[in-house]
Amino acid sequence: MKTRYFHWSLLLLAIATVLGSCSDWLDVKPESEEREKDLFTSYQGFKDALAGCYSTMAGTDLYGERLTMTDIEDLACLWAEPKQTSRPEDYYFYHHMYTAPESEAAIKAIYGGLFNVVAQANKILEHVNNGAITDPDARNVMEGEALALRAWCQFDVLRLFGQVPQNAKNSIKLPYSMQADIHSLATYYGFDDYVKLLRADLSRADSLLKISDPILKYSVSSLNEEGSDPVAFEDDYMTYRQFRLNYFAVKGLEARLALYIGDRATAYKEAMGVINAKVNGEPFMSLSGTADLGKNNNGTIVSYGTLPHECVFALSNRKLADYAFTTLGGGTRVDENSMLYITTDMLNKQLYNGRNTTSDNRYLYVWNRSSVNYSNITRPTLTKYYYNTSDYSDASSYHTLLTKIQIMPMLRMSELYLIAIESTDDLAEANSLYKTYMASHNVNITDNFTSLQAVKDELEYEYTREFYGEGQAFYAYKRMGVQWMLLGGGMSEADYELPLPNTEFDPNATTDSSTK
């Protein structure tokens, strides 16, 4: 029987093939109406167009780097202070100086990239019911994913550029784009109306995918053509659902959005819905910390820091290894001028201060605590996207390596557990869920939280520890109203609100939303 790791390599090869076919879509110019018309005359054209959305998301301007490893983590001050001379963009974001030329260029790239995906999704939605997709299930999945993509990217516009979600002094309007026509200016909405549009898109995506998404009928391993019960469809687009905004990913995004706006009841309901979901009588997905982080049967360290087997939604980035190692290191040597790293005090006295460091598999296997600079001073580096070729000497290990170096986690089961822990009103349930969550990190919790406030206080640390290099800490700090970040300095309301690009129409220009 073929190994699990072999099938994961096939999964990534298939995804790469699909993404490689999207170049025609990415080349389509808005004024090229004939090419656009041709693209959407076949189901294959729709698949190529949607693959283009995911490919754009995986680029370095978005979730391939800026919104996972660098800019967004600089905003949360998760790295040691970057060098102004060699990494000015990181330096200015670290200090929340948004008017520096490097900051303005990065903000423009992020904002433009998010709305590029939105525009592509809107094109799909404009044509999806034109009759070219004859299979109703395929059409439902196509439309559902496009709606979810539109909401995903514009939710991050809200989290980056919008006002703080609780007790905001500033009122910021943002564009919500629902049209593919570049000549039409998107309408700008205040916070509450913007959220209504996000929820409407997600609700519609939810209802479409609930009817037709194969992930509700087949196990993840089957859809990934793994194990003893692989499933193959004539339409290969219905497989490998973890690399698409599938039904459970949409439910998870609904939970993330609800928690962000303070709707704890909905956040709890949606998160627990995914946690408790069963497919053919078996759990949809489980926490994978102990499976993905640790040692194999031969005693060799196996650190899949992206936790691929608990990714409800992930992106495939074939070029990740080309730059992740030089950006974050992970090996034995740290170049402080070019790399992002942390100090031993940040790791031991702040991030894991008073916590279990003898068995926590994140502390042991997600950080290289032996990395040193050129003066032989220890500088821990994140190994989440790093690999050592000496650990992958046989064919099975090499196929596993292909999995590790291409996955960008977008939504993991760990986050859904943290959402449920934070949003439950039952202290006993919060303690039970937290023990299950920490057990996945090989930590046995014996003491209980004594209040829900104590739970929330600890989760500020957990969002930081769990999602290092995945771009979630800044958003958690923003919705929690954290005034002094765990590894950084004080934060004002304006520090949490990136300004719109200076080339963008800004209806907020007359409001008091200045930045440093």
Side-chain angles (χ1 to χ4, degrees):
M1 184 175 64
K2 296 179 181 178
T3 68
R4 174 181 69 185
Y5 300 125
F6 177 73
H7 287 294
W8 271 92
S9 69
L10 288 181
L11 159 63
L12 288 165
L13 178 61
I15 295 296
T17 301
V18 171
L19 293 183
S21 70
C22 71
S23 58
D24 286 344
W25 163 249
L26 296 177
D27 288 339
V28 172
K29 303 297 188 295
E31 66 272 19
S32 183
E33 295 180 0
E34 286 303 315
R35 294 189 66 191
E36 177 188 320
K37 181 180 178 181
D38 290 341
L39 180 69
F40 294 115
T41 56
S42 69
Y43 179 32
Q44 184 60 50
F46 278 94
K47 290 194 287 186
D48 290 348
L50 197 56
C53 293
Y54 290 111
S55 180
T56 302
M57 289 176 72
T60 54
D61 281 339
L62 296 180
Y63 304 99
E65 182 180 338
R66 280 189 162 127
L67 292 182
T68 50
M69 294 186 288
T70 57
D71 294 359
I72 190 68
E73 302 296 65
D74 294 320
L75 290 173
C77 296
L78 296 194
W79 305 119
E81 182 179 23
K83 303 293 184 183
Q84 183 176 5
T85 54
S86 55
R87 296 195 69 97
E89 180 179 315
D90 298 274
Y91 174 87
Y92 291 122
F93 274 121
Y94 178 92
H95 289 285
H96 308 100
M97 300 170 67
Y98 303 138
T99 58
E102 292 84 354
S103 298
E104 290 183 340
I107 288 170
K108 182 178 180 181
I110 293 168
Y111 184 89
L114 289 170
F115 276 108
N116 184 8
V117 177
V118 171
Q120 294 179 58
N122 283 340
K123 279 293 182 187
I124 294 169
L125 293 168
E126 179 184 352
H127 295 279
V128 72
N129 291 305
N130 67 2
I133 307 176
T134 57
D135 182 340
D137 285 330
R139 187 169 57 251
N140 286 341
V141 169
M142 180 66 60
E143 184 177 357
E145 284 190 44
L147 285 163
L149 281 164
R150 183 166 80 181
W152 180 287
C153 290
Q154 292 187 113
F155 178 34
D156 278 354
V157 169
L158 182 70
R159 294 201 291 180
L160 286 167
F161 299 92
Q163 65 201 54
V164 295
Q166 306 296 331
N167 303 314
K169 296 178 182 177
N170 297 333
S171 179
I172 298 175
K173 291 185 176 181
L174 295 170
Y176 198 91
S177 176
M178 293 180 285
Q179 294 180 319
D181 182 5
I182 65 167
H183 302 294
S184 299
L185 180 66
T187 303
Y188 283 67
Y189 298 90
F191 186 87
D192 291 342
D193 288 334
Y194 200 96
V195 168
K196 288 179 182 178
L197 292 169
L198 287 170
R199 287 186 138 173
D201 273 351
L202 289 174
S203 178
R204 174 65 175 160
D206 181 326
S207 64
L208 289 165
L209 293 169
K210 187 175 183 178
I211 298 171
S212 301
D213 195 334
I215 207 166
L216 289 161
K217 299 178 182 179
Y218 302 96
S219 69
V220 170
S221 62
S222 294
L223 291 170
N224 290 346
E225 299 183 352
E226 297 178 324
S228 60
D229 63 340
V231 59
F233 292 96
E234 182 177 346
D235 177 8
D236 60 2
Y237 189 76
M238 291 296 190
T239 56
Y240 311 122
R241 297 299 297 156
Q242 284 173 284
F243 284 81
R244 306 287 182 187
L245 269 167
N246 59 73
Y247 172 77
F248 290 115
V250 170
K251 302 299 283 186
L253 183 56
E254 289 178 298
R256 181 188 280 180
L257 171 59
L259 186 64
Y260 189 78
I261 64 174
D263 181 359
R264 295 173 63 250
T266 301
Y268 172 80
K269 173 180 174 289
E270 300 295 0
M272 290 302 296
V274 180
I275 290 170
N276 293 327
K278 294 185 181 297
V279 176
N280 294 328
E282 297 296 326
F284 153 65
M285 186 176 287
S286 301
L287 295 166
S288 69
T290 53
D292 286 332
L293 298 172
K295 296 183 179 181
N296 63 20
N297 293 332
N298 297 323
T300 302
I301 293 176
V302 179
S303 176
Y304 310 130
T306 56
L307 278 73
H309 296 96
E310 69 168 57
C311 284
V312 182
F313 170 46
L315 295 171
S316 176
N317 183 350
R318 289 175 293 162
K319 297 182 179 180
L320 183 60
D322 294 343
Y323 59 86
F325 304 164
T326 56
T327 301
L328 302 182
T332 58
R333 185 67 67 181
V334 177
D335 184 341
E336 293 187 5
N337 289 313
S338 62
M339 293 179 181
L340 297 170
Y341 59 92
I342 65 174
T343 67
T344 53
D345 281 352
M346 291 171 70
L347 181 65
N348 296 321
K349 295 183 179 181
Q350 294 173 286
L351 196 59
Y352 283 92
N353 184 36
R355 276 71 174 183
N356 181 306
T357 55
T358 59
S359 65
D360 192 314
N361 49 33
R362 295 167 300 182
Y363 180 86
L364 296 175
Y365 303 118
V366 177
W367 292 97
N368 186 342
R369 291 165 288 114
S370 300
S371 299
V372 296
N373 65 10
Y374 288 103
S375 299
N376 287 322
I377 299 173
T378 301
R379 294 286 187 252
T381 52
L382 188 71
T383 62
K384 187 165 286 186
Y385 306 108
Y386 176 82
Y387 71 94
N388 186 338
T389 53
S390 64
D391 293 337
Y392 303 91
S393 55
D394 56 56
S396 175
S397 295
Y398 181 73
H399 290 310
T400 305
L401 168 63
L402 292 180
T403 301
K404 182 179 178 184
I405 65 174
Q406 294 189 41
I407 285 183
M408 298 298 304
M410 293 290 101
L411 178 67
R412 295 198 278 112
M413 287 295 291
S414 289
E415 182 179 353
L416 295 173
Y417 268 84
L418 293 182
I419 290 173
I421 292 166
E422 185 176 348
S423 58
T424 181
D425 290 325
D426 185 336
L427 182 59
E429 182 180 40
N431 279 306
S432 177
L433 288 167
Y434 185 70
K435 287 179 180 179
T436 300
Y437 164 79
M438 289 304 296
S440 76
H441 290 305
N442 204 32
V443 176
N444 180 28
I445 299 296
T446 57
D447 296 328
N448 289 327
F449 292 112
T450 57
S451 69
L452 291 175
Q453 183 59 48
V455 173
K456 184 176 180 179
D457 291 343
E458 181 61 19
L459 291 191
E460 181 184 337
Y461 284 84
E462 271 307 316
Y463 269 98
T464 309
R465 284 190 287 261
E466 183 69 30
F467 303 112
Y468 236 100
E470 295 180 41
Q472 294 303 319
F474 177 75
Y475 302 134
Y477 296 160
K478 183 171 181 175
R479 68 171 175 78
M480 291 178 176
V482 172
Q483 296 181 8
W484 194 272
M485 293 190 299
L486 180 61
L487 300 177
M491 291 291 287
S492 68
E493 183 173 333
D495 291 331
Y496 281 118
E497 300 163 351
L498 273 64
L500 294 177
N502 52 23
T503 55
E504 176 74 9
F505 169 71
D506 188 356
N508 311 290
T510 58
T511 64
D512 183 15
S513 58
S514 60
T515 58
K516 289 182 180 179

